[in-house]
Amino acid sequence: MFRRIWVLPTVALVTLGAVDGGDFRVSARAGIDVRTNHGHFEVATIIVDVRTTGGGQGEATFAADGHHHGLYPDLVVILPQASKVFVRGNIAEILGQGSYQGEPASVRMKLLDGGPEGQGDFMTVECYAPNGKRVLYGEGPTTSGDISIRSVQ
């Protein structure tokens, strides 16, 4: 089901195998209970609106706050333009160049649409600095909202 591809000389990302044909819309407006390499964040939000048209188009944002200080949020990932979007069944993978904490980063988001109204939805987010070092890994289930992967006619 999964295979590895090399994105940067020292970084391997697990990607989806064969992808579904057709045009898909991937959207998310959800709260996430996320665990990251920077700690656990009960207050996190993901906003996604992308399509598979032409390899990928649309944008995605992830923000998390652990109430560690007065600044909100603690973690911010912005993907202003998806460069590739893959869909296989109820899983979408979104790739592109964006930012992590305001610095350039390669961004990879993987979204699972577990069913109606957010039941069983799950997400992962990874960011890599230009030197190939992974600077963020986070994953978690939705606590509110919905992740939706739908075929567009």
Side-chain angles (χ1 to χ4, degrees), residues 1-65:
M1 173 187 257
F2 293 102
R3 61 186 163 97
R4 291 190 180 268
I5 64 167
W6 294 97
V7 175
L8 298 170
T10 59
V11 179
L13 295 178
V14 177
T15 63
L16 298 172
V19 296
D20 295 343
D23 190 16
F24 290 87
R25 180 174 184 204
V26 180
S27 62
R29 304 279 185 282
I32 308 286
D33 181 10
V34 67
R35 296 190 183 278
T36 74
N37 56 320
H38 299 286
H40 179 218
F41 296 88
E42 294 178 3
V43 181
T45 303
I46 185 166
I47 299 171
V48 176
D49 189 13
V50 299
R51 290 179 69 142
T52 57
T53 307
Q57 64 181 25
E59 60 188 341
T61 303
F62 168 79
D65 184 50

Side-chain angles (χ1 to χ4, degrees), residues 82-146:
S83 59
K84 296 190 190 255
V85 180
F86 304 102
V87 172
R88 182 162 190 216
N90 63 339
I91 300 171
E93 184 174 22
I94 303 161
L95 305 168
Q97 296 300 311
S99 66
Y100 167 69
Q101 302 299 78
E103 297 296 321
S106 296
V107 177
R108 174 180 175 255
M109 292 183 175
K110 203 167 188 181
L111 305 173
L112 168 71
D113 183 354
E117 301 302 320
Q119 296 175 0
D121 291 353
F122 195 86
M123 65 81 61
T124 63
V125 59
E126 291 180 273
C127 293
Y128 292 86
N131 67 4
K133 178 182 178 188
R134 184 168 73 177
V135 291
L136 173 67
Y137 177 83
E139 64 178 23
T142 58
T143 56
S144 63
D146 189 35

